[in-house]
Amino acid sequence: MPFARRTPKEPMDLPPVTAASGGPEMRIEGRRLSTLGMRWLRVTCACGHEGRVAVPELADRHGGDTRVRQVAEKLQCSQCGQARVRRIALSD
Ligand SMILES: [Zn+2]
Protein backbone atom coordinates (compact mmCIF):
# COMPACT_ATOMS: atom_id res chain seq x y z
CA MET A 1 0.00 0.00 0.00
CA PRO A 2 2.30 2.73 -1.19
CA PHE A 3 -0.17 5.55 -0.71
CA ALA A 4 -1.40 4.61 2.73
CA ARG A 5 -0.27 7.83 4.35
CA ARG A 6 -2.28 10.55 2.83
CA THR A 7 -2.50 14.10 4.05
CA PRO A 8 -6.14 15.13 4.01
CA LYS A 9 -5.56 18.80 3.56
CA GLU A 10 -2.69 19.86 1.41
CA PRO A 11 -2.70 23.43 0.13
CA MET A 12 -2.19 23.38 -3.59
CA ASP A 13 -1.44 26.99 -4.23
CA LEU A 14 0.70 28.54 -1.56
CA PRO A 15 2.56 31.74 -2.29
CA PRO A 16 6.19 31.22 -3.25
CA VAL A 17 8.46 30.65 -0.31
CA THR A 18 11.80 32.35 -0.36
CA ALA A 19 14.71 32.28 2.00
CA ALA A 20 14.11 35.91 2.82
CA SER A 21 10.46 35.46 3.75
CA GLY A 22 10.57 32.11 5.43
CA GLY A 23 13.82 31.63 7.24
CA PRO A 24 15.59 28.32 7.53
CA GLU A 25 12.68 26.31 8.91
CA MET A 26 10.24 26.65 6.06
CA ARG A 27 7.52 24.10 5.87
CA ILE A 28 8.20 22.80 2.43
CA GLU A 29 9.70 19.49 3.49
CA GLY A 30 6.32 17.81 3.40
CA ARG A 31 5.22 19.28 0.10
CA ARG A 32 4.98 17.12 -2.97
CA LEU A 33 7.12 18.05 -5.93
CA SER A 34 4.07 18.31 -8.16
CA THR A 35 2.70 21.15 -6.00
CA LEU A 36 5.81 23.29 -6.28
CA GLY A 37 5.53 24.20 -9.95
CA MET A 38 8.29 25.48 -12.19
CA ARG A 39 10.66 26.55 -9.48
CA TRP A 40 14.01 25.68 -8.11
CA LEU A 41 15.07 24.13 -4.87
CA ARG A 42 18.05 25.86 -3.38
CA VAL A 43 19.85 23.25 -1.38
CA THR A 44 22.52 23.94 1.18
CA CYS A 45 24.78 21.14 2.29
CA ALA A 46 26.26 20.79 5.75
CA CYS A 47 29.65 21.56 4.21
CA GLY A 48 28.36 24.96 3.16
CA HIS A 49 28.02 24.25 -0.54
CA GLU A 50 24.86 25.59 -2.10
CA GLY A 51 23.28 24.42 -5.32
CA ARG A 52 20.05 24.76 -7.24
CA VAL A 53 17.98 21.95 -8.66
CA ALA A 54 14.98 22.40 -10.93
CA VAL A 55 11.77 21.06 -9.38
CA PRO A 56 10.43 19.61 -12.66
CA GLU A 57 13.68 17.74 -13.11
CA LEU A 58 13.34 16.21 -9.66
CA ALA A 59 9.71 15.35 -10.37
CA ASP A 60 10.78 13.57 -13.56
CA ARG A 61 13.40 11.62 -11.71
CA HIS A 62 11.59 10.78 -8.48
CA GLY A 63 7.93 11.23 -9.36
CA GLY A 64 5.64 14.18 -8.70
CA ASP A 65 4.21 12.58 -5.56
CA THR A 66 7.58 12.49 -3.89
CA ARG A 67 7.90 14.84 -0.96
CA VAL A 68 10.67 17.37 -0.65
CA ARG A 69 12.14 15.70 2.40
CA GLN A 70 12.40 12.38 0.56
CA VAL A 71 14.25 14.07 -2.26
CA ALA A 72 16.53 15.78 0.22
CA GLU A 73 17.58 12.41 1.58
CA LYS A 74 18.77 11.39 -1.87
CA LEU A 75 20.50 14.54 -2.96
CA GLN A 76 24.23 14.27 -3.04
CA CYS A 77 26.48 17.25 -2.65
CA SER A 78 28.70 17.88 -5.66
CA GLN A 79 31.38 19.33 -3.44
CA CYS A 80 31.77 16.93 -0.52
CA GLY A 81 29.98 13.96 -2.11
CA GLN A 82 27.74 13.31 0.85
CA ALA A 83 24.00 13.51 1.37
CA ARG A 84 23.90 15.98 4.22
CA VAL A 85 21.30 18.54 3.27
CA ARG A 86 21.11 21.19 5.93
CA ARG A 87 18.59 23.48 4.36
CA ILE A 88 16.20 23.61 1.46
CA ALA A 89 14.50 26.71 0.13
CA LEU A 90 12.26 27.40 -2.82
CA SER A 91 13.43 29.93 -5.34
CA ASP A 92 12.12 31.18 -8.64
ZN1 LIG B 1 28.68 19.16 0.78
Side-chain angles (χ1 to χ4, degrees):
M1 280 219 287
F3 302 111
R5 283 179 43 191
R6 214 165 245 193
T7 313
K9 276 197 285 185
E10 195 161 29
M12 295 297 286
D13 192 24
L14 290 177
V17 181
T18 65
S21 70
E25 302 302 325
M26 285 163 302
R27 321 284 307 163
I28 63 167
E29 295 89 349
R31 301 274 303 271
R32 294 177 199 275
L33 294 175
S34 59
T35 69
L36 298 178
M38 302 288 290
R39 297 209 188 91
W40 298 79
L41 288 183
R42 193 167 59 219
V43 184
T44 308
C45 175
C47 76
H49 182 245
E50 187 177 288
R52 291 211 310 169
V53 198
V55 170
E57 192 183 313
L58 291 172
D60 274 353
R61 200 183 309 171
H62 301 287
D65 280 344
T66 310
R67 295 178 191 278
V68 170
R69 88 169 79 85
Q70 297 173 295
V71 171
E73 287 165 7
K74 293 174 180 152
L75 286 176
Q76 200 175 8
C77 176
S78 60
Q79 185 161 286
C80 70
Q82 300 190 61
R84 296 183 299 163
V85 172
R86 190 177 61 189
R87 178 178 171 185
I88 290 191
L90 263 185
S91 75
D92 288 312

